[in-house]
Amino acid sequence: MTTTRPFRTHPFTRACAMASLSLTGAMATPVLAQDTQGEVDELREQVQELQRRIDNAVSEAPQPDRDNPYLVRDGDGIKIGRTTISFDGFIKADAIFGSNGDGTKNTYSVGIPRNFAAAASSGESDWKTGFTARESRLAIGSKTDEVAGHTLRTYLEMDFNQDADAPGNEVVSNSYAPRLRQAYGSWNGWTAGQTYTTFTNLAALPDILNQGYMAAFIYTTQPQLRYTMAAPGGKFMAALENPEDGFGTTSYDDQSYPDLTARYQLRNRYGIYSVSGVLRNMEHDNPAGEDDEKLGGAVSLSARIPTIGRDDLRLQYSYGHLGRYMGLFTYPDVDLGEQAAGEVDPLTTYGATAAYRHFWSPTWRSSLVLSQTEIVEDLAFSPSGALGDFDKVASIHANLIWQAHENFQVGLEYAHWDFRAIANDSNSQYEQVMASAKYSF
């Protein structure tokens, strides 16, 4: 069945047609023009009024603002109003092969020296295999212009690389909950939230697949309030950061004052250099006796020095009461024997790292990393089990990485760890081979 709809002309079209016919008739027959002149004038006024309404509607409509559009592409982000939102991160797939038993339990690819030491002293000689994608990261950033005269930035970053005993399993789902890495905002030189400690210099971080996890590097994220200001040749930063002490999974959590950190960074064509320090108030609330506390501190020097072509040398040396700030909490913050007696005695350690990165070609590169840390004082407690039976740790990393594209790299890395036992000065070793593919976005 066919439905017929009546044809209705647009008022503007009808007016134009009638005006046209009228004008044509006026030219052809002067008498008719004289009779219809009033009707033509009326139609002309209607057309003019309609045109005025169209012009007013166009002039009053919102116009796109090139400096502040509602939704446009802005660099690597999307601008909504005055705020640019950006997303980035990477998918990282790792295959880990560890000697002397599996030092990366539950495919915990990060690993820590204490786990490696336990594997090295296990007496096993077979290699274990683990696969993981838990180091994959997702980050959301924002930039808002002209917030009280300054740019406001925020950053939120997470991964899934939790402890070996975190909820999740490798039997069926391999599902793991997200983990907060960084969450901070910055405005007019002030940064508040959780990010890397001011005590470290990430520019000197070696380029390895298991990033940041060599024996002695300063590599910690924690909540803080930081101020950054320009300084001759670079910048100066000072911060109040979350205080913490303990060892392993034990947190004493009885600090009265925040950690005070500061760093001066110099940057020029000769490289990036920094000197940093930390002051820490070590406390122990002893239920059976008097409380005790001591002021501790440490310093760290680091550099990233360009050499030949794109090659560079990265160095870091740290000394003092480093505790949890160095080597993923390799050593406790205080002498555990003294602590058991109700005394606080900050443990003095040192750490040194040297890394050379060489480019074989624009897309192929390698890094050789040497790192060592050691307790530099006699301990009052029995070493049995307290430190995994070691007081000196050395690591070597060597890799080959193919950067096929800025968003895609694959690599192979070998790591060797050496642990010196406290009691008998013997050594045990742990080895690891890691293959990795990283897809950035």
Side-chain angles (χ1 to χ4, degrees):
M1 178 178 181
T2 302
T3 302
T4 303
R5 296 179 181 177
F7 175 79
R8 296 180 180 178
T9 60
H10 193 277
F12 181 73
T13 304
R14 185 169 62 252
C16 290
M18 293 179 66
S20 178
L21 290 173
S22 299
L23 290 174
T24 303
M27 291 186 292
T29 310
V31 177
L32 290 175
Q34 190 175 18
D35 294 340
T36 59
Q37 185 63 45
E39 184 178 352
V40 171
D41 291 342
E42 183 179 354
L43 288 173
R44 183 182 294 113
E45 290 179 2
Q46 293 178 0
V47 171
Q48 291 174 350
E49 176 63 23
L50 179 60
Q51 186 62 47
R52 280 195 299 270
R53 292 182 180 182
I54 293 174
D55 291 341
N56 289 336
V58 172
S59 63
E60 294 173 2
Q63 297 293 325
D65 184 351
R66 295 183 63 88
D67 295 330
N68 189 20
Y70 178 69
L71 182 63
V72 297
R73 182 70 180 267
D74 182 18
D76 292 330
I78 299 174
K79 193 168 187 178
I80 305 174
R82 293 185 300 119
T83 300
T84 298
I85 305 294
S86 60
F87 302 87
D88 60 48
F90 57 80
I91 303 299
K92 189 166 182 280
D94 299 318
I96 306 107
F97 309 94
S99 69
N100 302 313
D102 186 7
T104 56
K105 297 178 180 178
N106 207 18
T107 62
Y108 182 45
S109 65
V110 168
I112 55 177
R114 293 195 304 276
N115 288 350
F116 297 158
S121 61
S122 66
E124 299 181 17
S125 59
D126 56 334
W127 286 63
K128 301 296 183 182
T129 302
F131 288 78
T132 182
R134 295 173 64 189
E135 197 179 336
S136 301
R137 297 182 192 174
L138 173 65
I140 304 172
S142 74
K143 182 184 73 171
T144 305
D145 300 325
E146 291 301 319
V147 176
H150 301 276
T151 299
L152 173 67
R153 300 177 185 271
T154 67
Y155 187 74
L156 175 66
E157 181 186 64
M158 64 188 71
D159 66 10
F160 309 86
N161 213 1
Q162 303 192 51
D163 289 339
D165 58 352
N169 68 83
E170 298 179 57
V171 180
V172 178
S173 64
N174 282 271
S175 56
Y176 299 97
R179 178 185 72 156
L180 180 67
R181 286 183 54 84
Q182 298 188 76
Y184 65 86
S186 61
W187 177 84
N188 193 23
W190 291 96
T191 298
Q194 179 167 307
T195 186
Y196 293 98
T197 176
T198 310
F199 188 48
T200 192
N201 176 19
L202 294 182
L205 181 67
D207 182 14
I208 65 175
L209 298 181
N210 212 1
Q211 191 184 70
Y213 302 101
M214 64 291 299
F217 205 81
I218 305 297
Y219 194 76
T220 303
T221 61
Q222 60 191 11
Q224 60 192 269
L225 175 63
R226 177 195 297 173
Y227 183 71
T228 303
M229 59 180 291
K235 57 185 178 181
F236 175 78
M237 293 156 277
L240 299 176
E241 304 193 13
N242 182 58
E244 185 59 64
D245 58 14
F247 184 62
T249 58
T250 301
S251 172
Y252 308 130
D253 200 26
D254 50 11
Q255 297 78 31
S256 300
Y257 308 100
D259 289 358
L260 174 62
T261 60
R263 176 159 62 96
Y264 170 64
Q265 178 174 296
L266 175 66
R267 182 168 189 162
N268 53 42
R269 64 190 183 95
Y270 300 107
I272 305 173
Y273 303 85
S274 77
V275 54
S276 57
V278 58
L279 286 177
R280 313 172 58 195
N281 188 64
M282 311 284 195
E283 299 182 38
H284 178 57
D285 295 340
N286 186 3
E290 296 184 359
D291 299 341
D292 190 25
E293 62 182 282
K294 295 282 179 60
L295 183 65
V299 296
S300 182
L301 306 174
S302 61
R304 179 172 175 175
I305 307 169
T307 57
I308 302 171
R310 297 175 62 188
D311 294 6
D312 60 63
L313 176 65
R314 307 182 187 194
L315 305 169
Q316 186 181 72
Y317 177 81
S318 308
Y319 181 90
H321 305 133
L322 297 164
R324 66 186 178 87
Y325 280 93
M326 182 178 65
L328 297 176
F329 214 176
T330 298
Y331 305 119
D333 291 297
V334 299
D335 187 319
L336 299 182
E338 295 285 1
Q339 185 188 60
E343 302 291 332
V344 172
D345 182 17
L347 200 60
T348 304
T349 58
Y350 83 86
T353 300
Y356 191 83
R357 183 174 67 164
H358 173 66
F359 282 83
W360 304 101
S361 74
T363 58
W364 289 88
R365 70 183 187 271
S366 293
S367 288
L368 177 63
V369 184
L370 309 177
S371 189
Q372 179 173 298
T373 181
E374 185 177 3
I375 299 174
V376 297
E377 59 187 283
D378 294 332
L379 301 178
F381 63 86
S382 168
S384 178
L387 294 177
D389 294 330
F390 63 90
D391 65 339
K392 181 178 180 180
V393 185
S395 67
I396 300 174
H397 289 73
N399 59 38
L400 178 62
I401 300 174
W402 177 44
Q403 190 78 47
H405 184 270
E406 64 178 354
N407 296 101
F408 174 60
Q409 75 170 36
V410 293
L412 185 66
E413 183 170 276
Y414 170 77
H416 182 277
W417 293 76
D418 183 82
F419 302 93
R420 191 183 74 179
I422 300 174
N424 53 21
D425 204 30
S426 63
N427 293 65
S428 56
Q429 287 77 38
Y430 175 78
E431 296 177 277
Q432 187 180 87
V433 176
M434 183 174 187
S436 177
K438 184 177 179 180
Y439 310 84
S440 302
F441 55 89

